[in-house]
Amino acid sequence: EREEQRRREEEERLEMEAEEELSRLRELEGARRREVQRKFEEERRVDALNRQVEELKEREAETERLRRQEDALMREKWQMEEVDARRRAMEEERGKSELGRFLTKQWKAQLYRRHRQIQEELELDRRILESMLEKQVASVAV
């Protein structure tokens, strides 16, 4: 009878140890799953930030391209103005005709319209980039 009781107590002790071990293993598995999920979420955030950085770099490159284009157009405008000034001087020496003045005005108006259009496009691009940068900064801050 004593031996039987010792055997039962030993079985109960082993069962408790087995349940404790099972509980510990379940907790470890849960912790592992949470860690895997955390790493997955972190990788997603890093990927999203990398994509945003790439988009921002592309926008900055586009802005730089547009700035260079504007610079080139401004140089072209100055060259045209210089050519126009020389032409006007020559026409004045020959006594400008009415048609010459009309064509000059038309050319300047067209050049001015093109300049304004480019300025508006650059301003729109600048506002878009500023908005993207603000969103980027806000999302990184979160």
Side-chain angles (χ1 to χ4, degrees):
E1 186 175 304
R2 218 183 220 191
E3 189 62 37
E4 179 67 25
Q5 185 171 350
R6 259 193 242 140
R7 187 183 58 75
R8 270 188 270 130
E9 287 174 359
E10 180 65 20
E11 282 179 10
E12 287 175 6
R13 184 184 65 76
L14 288 175
E15 277 183 36
M16 280 182 50
E17 286 178 1
E19 286 177 20
E20 288 173 359
E21 180 65 15
L22 185 59
S23 176
R24 186 183 71 77
L25 289 175
R26 284 184 183 139
E27 181 61 33
L28 284 174
E29 178 62 22
R32 186 193 64 78
R33 284 186 185 140
R34 287 188 296 275
E35 180 63 17
V36 166
Q37 182 65 27
R38 185 193 65 76
K39 283 184 179 179
F40 174 75
E41 292 297 327
E42 186 176 328
E43 285 176 10
R44 265 189 26 201
R45 282 191 299 274
V46 167
D47 287 345
L49 285 175
N50 285 337
R51 280 193 306 276
Q52 289 174 349
V53 166
E54 284 304 313
E55 289 173 8
L56 188 58
K57 285 179 182 178
E58 290 171 9
R59 290 287 185 169
E60 288 172 348
E62 177 66 10
T63 299
E64 180 61 23
R65 185 189 68 75
L66 290 172
R67 187 196 59 75
R68 283 192 303 258
Q69 183 181 9
E70 181 185 25
D71 289 347
L73 288 171
M74 290 302 291
R75 280 192 299 277
E76 183 180 328
K77 176 187 173 199
W78 294 328
Q79 289 171 351
M80 287 180 172
E81 287 173 351
E82 187 177 324
V83 167
D84 185 52
R86 279 191 241 138
R87 183 185 53 75
R88 273 188 276 122
M90 288 171 55
E91 284 180 357
E92 285 175 13
E93 289 177 19
R94 286 184 258 139
K96 278 185 177 179
S97 71
E98 191 62 35
L99 179 60
R101 286 190 295 272
F102 174 76
L103 291 176
T104 300
K105 286 180 183 178
Q106 208 174 30
W107 172 78
K108 282 184 179 180
Q110 182 181 6
L111 185 61
Y112 179 74
R113 283 191 300 273
R114 179 67 180 135
H115 174 73
R116 282 189 54 196
Q117 178 187 5
I118 289 170
Q119 288 294 102
E120 290 169 0
E121 290 171 0
L122 286 171
E123 180 61 24
L124 177 61
D125 285 348
R126 185 189 62 76
R127 280 190 247 130
I128 289 170
L129 285 172
E130 283 179 356
S131 173
M132 287 179 64
L133 184 59
E134 288 173 7
K135 289 176 184 176
Q136 174 73 21
V137 167
S139 69
V140 168
V142 172

